[in-house]
Amino acid sequence: MEAIIKADRLSKDYKIYKDHKGYLGALRNLFDRRFTLVHAVNDVSFRIYPGELIGYIGPNGAGKSTTIKMLTGLLVPTSGEVQVNEFIPWKDRKDYVKHIGAVFGQRTTLWWDLPVRDSLELLKHIYEIPSDRFKQNLDSFRAILELDAFMDTPVRSLSLGQRMRADLCAALLHDPKLIFLDEPTIGLDVVAKQRVREFIQFINAKRGTTILLTTHDTADIAKLCKRIMIIDHGKILYDGEFDELIKYYGGSRVLSVEFAEFYQDPTIDQAKIIQRDGVNVIYSFKREDISASKLIHQLSEKYRIRDLEVQDQAIEDVIRDIYENQLLYN
Ligand SMILES: Nc1ncnc2c1ncn2[C@@H]1O[C@H](COP(=O)(O)OP(=O)(O)OP(=O)(O)O)[C@@H](O)[C@H]1O
Ligand SMILES: [Mg+2]
């Protein structure tokens, strides 16, 4: 299959100017401006294929939004190449935007003073969406995103969750084959988050829309994305299946046991006691060393157990480990 997005050795540097101080400094600034370079995106290459729903994650300042701005044609790369379908985003921007959709959770793409309904109407004209198609899409999105309660409210008066849903609708009215979602669940309550997730899933599954999703919410990733790319300091740390990553790094599991009586030394092979309080003992073990059922079986042969619980290491902890230790997997 041909890739829908091809990014090759993509880099973006920002120049941060440092002014000379004082009166003479202001004069010097005119002809001698000092700056430092921030390598926001540093030699990044990847392929994205039609129909994929990819999580693009990384800590604050990693370079996610900068990448998305280059992919949507808002920024020109310092070096490297991007091709999306037949387009080079920043060169063909005017035609290109008709084929993609984008939601930036941090700011709206709608008209601040217009009611949602009018904002969407305006997009119909800008994107030249045929009337029947527009109506079909709007009816469908209104129902799923529950827009009806605020269709006549000016965008500036919307709550964050309402605004995000309106933005999502706006990004998809023209049936783009590809959408970029930069933190579409930021600041949303659990119910709104769930609604947005279901919408993303619906669009991907039912329409085959290719989606690149940026989020700090690991639950978004776990629920939605088969493949993820992790970026930090402008470099891709990982590009592969989410499940593989969790299997590889998230090996540590926890077994909490309440024994029926007190045991002096309830040790067991292949598991480590990490906490102990009377009859309550917590073991840590590795998925690749022993299965939970085998461990429980061994324990129950030696000791009398009243209750137990197995927990996987939280996905958040796995991701945090990777960020903190800069683990490189590829
Ligand atoms: N317009 C700009 N001028 C100078 N530096 C910038 C600019 N935009 C971003 N940067 C810097 O580039 C780096 C990458 O920023 P970017 O916004 O791409 O990160 P991000 O991964 O989206 O982070 P977050 O999760 O916080 O949204 C950061 O160090 C940031 O300070
Ligand atoms: Mg960002």
Side-chain angles (χ1 to χ4, degrees):
M1 204 184 337
E2 177 104 35
I4 187 165
I5 301 181
K6 297 178 196 160
D8 287 300
R9 313 211 62 171
L10 195 59
S11 295
K12 180 71 193 180
D13 297 337
Y14 293 110
K15 272 185 185 178
I16 311 269
Y17 287 99
K18 290 195 209 154
D19 286 343
H20 296 279
K21 296 275 176 294
Y23 174 72
L24 281 175
L27 199 61
R28 275 187 72 188
N29 284 337
L30 290 176
F31 52 89
D32 169 28
R33 292 206 74 187
R34 295 177 301 176
F35 61 83
T36 49
L37 281 182
V38 176
H39 305 293
V41 171
N42 193 351
D43 198 11
V44 158
S45 303
F46 55 83
R47 294 280 179 279
I48 290 174
Y49 294 90
E52 283 195 292
L53 199 183
I54 297 185
Y56 192 40
I57 66 173
N60 288 134
K64 303 179 296 295
S65 294
T66 303
T67 309
I68 289 185
K69 283 175 189 162
M70 290 192 280
L71 295 178
T72 50
L74 285 167
L75 279 179
V76 182
T78 307
S79 61
E81 282 165 33
V82 177
Q83 193 165 341
V84 184
N85 282 333
E86 69 271 35
F87 297 104
I88 294 174
W90 52 93
K91 280 193 186 147
D92 311 319
R93 182 151 168 79
K94 202 157 164 285
D95 280 335
Y96 176 60
V97 292
K98 290 185 182 169
H99 294 84
I100 60 162
V103 172
F104 292 93
Q106 310 272 16
R107 61 182 177 81
T108 183
T109 43
L110 297 171
W111 290 268
W112 204 234
D113 293 314
L114 291 185
V116 174
R117 190 187 301 281
D118 298 1
S119 264
L120 300 178
E121 272 293 332
L122 210 52
L123 288 171
K124 173 175 184 284
H125 296 290
I126 292 174
Y127 290 128
E128 298 166 344
I129 309 167
S131 288
D132 50 342
R133 194 67 200 136
F134 178 78
K135 191 176 175 312
Q136 261 174 26
N137 276 342
L138 189 57
D139 285 350
S140 151
F141 299 161
R142 259 164 68 173
I144 311 173
L145 292 166
E146 293 183 38
L147 305 180
D148 283 349
F150 50 88
M151 278 297 265
D152 296 304
T153 310
V155 172
R156 76 179 122 74
S157 309
L158 296 179
S159 78
L160 185 60
Q162 293 170 337
R163 203 217 76 207
M164 211 75 91
R165 275 138 66 197
D167 261 309
L168 273 167
C169 174
L172 283 148
L173 281 173
H174 57 300
D175 290 322
K177 287 267 160 288
L178 170 66
I179 55 171
F180 300 94
L181 305 176
D182 193 355
E183 300 195 47
T185 58
I186 191 172
L188 302 192
D189 71 41
V190 282
V191 180
K193 253 186 200 176
Q194 187 51 29
R195 195 174 285 135
V196 167
R197 276 182 202 140
E198 278 166 11
F199 186 69
I200 293 171
Q201 213 152 29
F202 164 81
I203 289 297
N204 177 250
K206 290 285 178 315
R207 304 194 162 195
T209 309
T210 309
I211 302 176
L212 187 65
L213 166 71
T214 282
T215 177
H216 286 290
D217 188 328
T218 42
D220 287 345
I221 298 295
K223 292 203 169 106
L224 295 172
C225 305
K226 193 157 172 275
R227 173 179 163 202
I228 59 168
M229 298 193 291
I230 303 180
I231 185 173
D232 196 12
H233 296 105
K235 292 266 187 202
I236 301 276
L237 291 184
Y238 178 84
D239 181 353
E241 297 217 343
F242 178 69
D243 286 350
E244 281 293 309
L245 184 82
I246 298 303
K247 217 158 70 190
Y248 196 84
Y249 287 119
S252 117
R253 310 177 86 188
V254 162
L255 173 69
S256 308
V257 183
E258 185 191 346
F259 290 107
E261 57 191 281
F262 179 78
Y263 295 105
Q264 201 59 48
D265 182 27
T267 50
I268 191 100
D269 286 347
Q270 290 166 310
K272 201 169 71 194
I273 294 177
I274 53 172
Q275 202 179 310
R276 189 161 180 197
D277 180 13
V279 294
N280 295 300
V281 180
I282 300 179
Y283 299 89
S284 150
F285 62 104
K286 289 242 163 226
R287 199 188 286 271
E288 61 259 35
D289 291 343
I290 188 167
S291 72
S293 61
K294 211 163 188 179
L295 182 63
I296 292 164
H297 181 74
Q298 285 183 16
L299 268 175
S300 62
E301 283 197 324
K302 287 171 91 174
Y303 312 108
R304 290 203 306 126
I305 293 169
R306 181 172 296 145
D307 198 8
L308 55 78
E309 192 187 352
V310 183
Q311 278 174 325
D312 284 325
Q313 188 186 10
I315 289 165
E316 254 126 83
D317 296 339
V318 180
I319 302 281
R320 199 203 46 229
D321 256 20
I322 293 166
Y323 291 173
E324 280 178 357
N325 301 318
Q326 295 287 301
L327 298 173
L328 254 163
Y329 177 62
N330 289 347

